[in-house]
Amino acid sequence: MSHHLFILSPSDSPLYSLTHFSSKPVQSVSSPLASNLPSWSTSAFAGTLTSLTGASSATQSHHAQGGGGSGVRMGGGQDRHVIQMIANASLDVIEEVMRRDSAMYLKSVDKFNEWTISAFITPGNFKFLLLHESKNDEGIRSFFNEVWELYVKTTLNPFHTAHTPIRSSVFDTRVRASAKKYL
Amino acid sequence: MSAYAQPHPRFSVLSSSSLSSADHSSPTSTTRFSYPSAPSINTTLVGSPKPSAVRPNIYDRPLNKTRTAEVSSSAFAFLFSEVVQYTQKRVAGITDLERRLNTLGYRIGTRVLELMVWRTESTGKAPKREIRFLPTLMFIHTQVWRAVFGKPADALEKSVENEDEYMIIDNDPPITRNISVPRDMSSLSCSSYTAGIVEAVLDGLGFPARVTAHNTPTQQYPGRTVILIKFEKSVLEREEAMSAK
């Protein structure tokens, strides 16, 4: 069971991303480190095609137990670039919704195969996107709230500009801790 | 105190920069930025009993407003005076100066927006953003002004001639209270800084606009300033579409 968080600037440039493997439901994940690495091999590309057509993604996600020779696998059995693409594709929907909905937390704003996308829009038009597979409304709300607080603290730093990627290790640790607590 | 003999590198940078700027600044203001101020900065900042203690991380500090976090208006007046002098030394003309002040204000505005909305909304169950046009202007007129200047602005008006222009009027802007503009630069308004703040807030909330500041002195209020907001066409079109629904 994995979660993917992306923080995007108003011009949609990526500022921060996090992959979190939830410990709550039991599902063995081979090695978070290895699966964090992007893979551009042809086999990974084949995975993209099948998952995009949606034909075999469900079976893939529940039976890909890493381990073997299947190489780089992301939480639900999908590759990193697919995850990124799903997240970015949801921006169209989010921009549509945020024009008429004044809530910052947009829950389950978009869906793609087994992935649900929830979003959080800060007043300054920064977007937090979270890809998740399970329903966890309250947890995600609390998680976004904590990330928001951390994010506001980051922006108050005079050396931070709207388009600087967030590289602070403390920020990273705090977000991970928060993800562990709520997701 | 050992802090004087061996200043922390961080503060030595601070004090040396204040020295050099004092050298360059105009004769009228040098006396205000005299050297003794540097040690006093050291005492206030290094005043903790353990100089070797690690400074608290920015993520450990609470974001809520505290009484001690308030800055005196004279401290700000000095700082802003330096900002204007620094900027003026690096520009060709008044337009350029105003544009730079606007850019500096913009950086403040993005932070003000995020912080003040966090303070009001984060405790609620469902935090909200402002998405309508007039409430956003009212929000700037009242809340943003109160957060930045400690009082609401004096008026919010719609231009009679142009559909897309709105004006926020401040009869006595606190940031220019101590500024007397020379006669040959009379078109300069240092409130361009405020205009930058307003522009950032509007931009953040999704209402891109061009914001400028203009002096409009009256008999009663010699410092009266108009912050003129000229919205982009898309903003008005969107507003029309929203009210049509």
Side-chain angles (χ1 to χ4, degrees):
Chain A
M1 190 69 87
S2 65
H3 294 83
H4 304 272
L5 171 74
F6 297 92
I7 297 183
L8 303 176
S9 78
S11 53
D12 296 339
S13 60
L15 301 183
Y16 177 82
S17 71
L18 172 80
T19 300
H20 171 75
F21 295 94
S22 179
S23 52
K24 281 163 192 167
V26 206
Q27 192 187 23
S28 71
V29 173
S30 55
S31 138
L33 184 70
S35 51
N36 265 328
L37 301 170
S39 158
W40 303 103
S41 68
T42 44
S43 67
F45 232 84
T48 315
L49 290 175
T50 49
S51 61
L52 283 180
T53 53
S56 63
S57 67
T59 45
Q60 211 180 32
S61 64
H62 293 298
H63 299 294
Q65 294 287 335
S70 63
V72 182
R73 283 280 169 233
M74 209 73 179
Q78 298 210 352
D79 302 300
R80 188 164 178 77
H81 53 278
V82 180
I83 301 289
Q84 283 175 344
M85 205 178 91
I86 296 172
N88 281 293
S90 71
L91 282 173
D92 285 343
V93 185
I94 290 168
E95 272 168 20
E96 181 78 34
V97 173
M98 63 183 269
R99 273 164 191 260
R100 48 192 157 77
D101 192 349
S102 66
M104 292 191 203
Y105 172 45
L106 308 171
K107 66 169 180 183
S108 313
V109 73
D110 195 14
K111 276 199 166 68
F112 185 87
N113 289 352
E114 74 271 31
W115 293 104
T116 307
I117 294 113
S118 289
F120 188 94
I121 322 287
T122 76
N125 199 10
F126 287 82
K127 299 179 190 77
F128 308 161
L129 306 182
L130 186 78
L131 265 72
H132 52 102
E133 290 165 288
S134 58
K135 211 169 139 72
N136 178 11
D137 211 8
E138 277 314 299
I140 292 171
R141 182 194 301 275
S142 313
F143 174 67
F144 273 146
N145 258 332
E146 288 205 7
V147 175
W148 185 25
E149 177 173 350
L150 291 168
Y151 175 73
V152 172
K153 287 178 177 174
T154 311
T155 51
L156 292 182
N157 180 356
F159 292 103
H160 180 86
T161 72
H163 307 287
T164 350
I166 303 171
R167 295 214 180 80
S168 160
S169 60
V170 183
F171 181 85
D172 188 58
T173 319
R174 295 284 170 100
V175 174
R176 278 173 201 276
S178 180
K180 207 169 185 175
K181 191 163 145 199
Y182 294 114
L183 301 179
Chain B
M1 239 204 225
S2 62
Y4 289 132
Q6 202 67 296
H8 189 280
R10 195 187 149 89
F11 302 124
S12 66
V13 168
L14 224 181
S15 52
S16 68
S17 70
S18 77
L19 284 184
S20 63
S21 65
D23 288 341
H24 295 294
S25 55
S26 59
T28 47
S29 62
T30 20
T31 49
R32 290 186 194 160
F33 297 96
S34 53
Y35 307 139
S37 65
S40 75
I41 289 174
N42 278 347
T43 43
T44 45
L45 291 180
V46 195
S48 67
K50 286 174 286 176
S52 62
V54 186
R55 284 162 55 85
N57 192 279
I58 53 168
Y59 296 108
D60 292 328
R61 298 184 186 180
L63 282 173
N64 285 313
K65 197 176 174 181
T66 53
R67 282 205 80 80
T68 51
E70 280 182 11
V71 177
S72 78
S73 70
S74 38
F76 179 78
F78 280 131
L79 178 65
F80 192 63
S81 150
E82 274 297 321
V83 166
V84 175
Q85 287 178 46
Y86 175 92
T87 315
Q88 204 200 341
K89 268 181 267 161
R90 287 161 176 78
V91 295
I94 291 172
T95 329
D96 206 14
L97 177 57
E98 290 192 329
R99 197 179 48 77
R100 288 239 194 162
L101 286 175
N102 188 297
T103 314
L104 288 170
Y106 194 95
R107 296 173 57 101
I108 305 294
T110 47
R111 292 169 168 89
V112 165
L113 173 64
E114 291 282 353
L115 181 62
M116 62 181 285
V117 177
W118 185 87
R119 279 177 180 163
T120 52
E121 296 287 328
S122 68
T123 47
K125 191 89 177 92
K128 296 227 179 291
R129 296 172 300 128
E130 203 62 76
I131 52 166
R132 297 304 304 266
F133 184 69
L134 284 175
T136 302
L137 286 171
M138 280 310 290
F139 166 80
I140 293 173
H141 166 274
T142 323
Q143 267 107 294
V144 172
W145 238 255
R146 198 172 278 145
V148 180
F149 304 117
K151 56 153 200 175
D154 293 295
L156 172 63
E157 290 176 7
K158 184 179 193 301
S159 163
V160 187
E161 297 126 39
N162 299 312
E163 253 318 78
D164 56 350
E165 289 184 354
Y166 285 78
M167 291 169 281
I168 295 177
I169 297 157
D170 196 324
N171 287 335
D172 182 22
I175 66 161
T176 58
R177 222 169 258 172
N178 302 303
I179 293 178
S180 159
V181 178
R183 194 157 296 185
D184 58 318
M185 297 171 76
S186 59
S187 68
L188 169 71
S189 174
C190 291
S191 287
S192 298
Y193 191 72
T194 314
I197 296 178
V198 173
E199 194 168 324
V201 172
L202 287 169
D203 250 2
L205 291 171
F207 301 96
R210 206 180 130 53
V211 186
T212 47
H214 304 275
N215 295 321
T216 51
T218 60
Q219 200 69 38
Q220 200 184 354
Y221 302 109
R224 188 170 175 272
T225 300
V226 170
I227 306 290
L228 180 69
I229 304 167
K230 192 171 175 63
F231 285 104
E232 276 182 15
K233 217 172 152 206
S234 64
V235 174
L236 295 180
E237 287 168 358
R238 176 181 144 193
E239 188 56 27
E240 251 169 50
M242 279 194 82
S243 22
K245 267 177 209 166

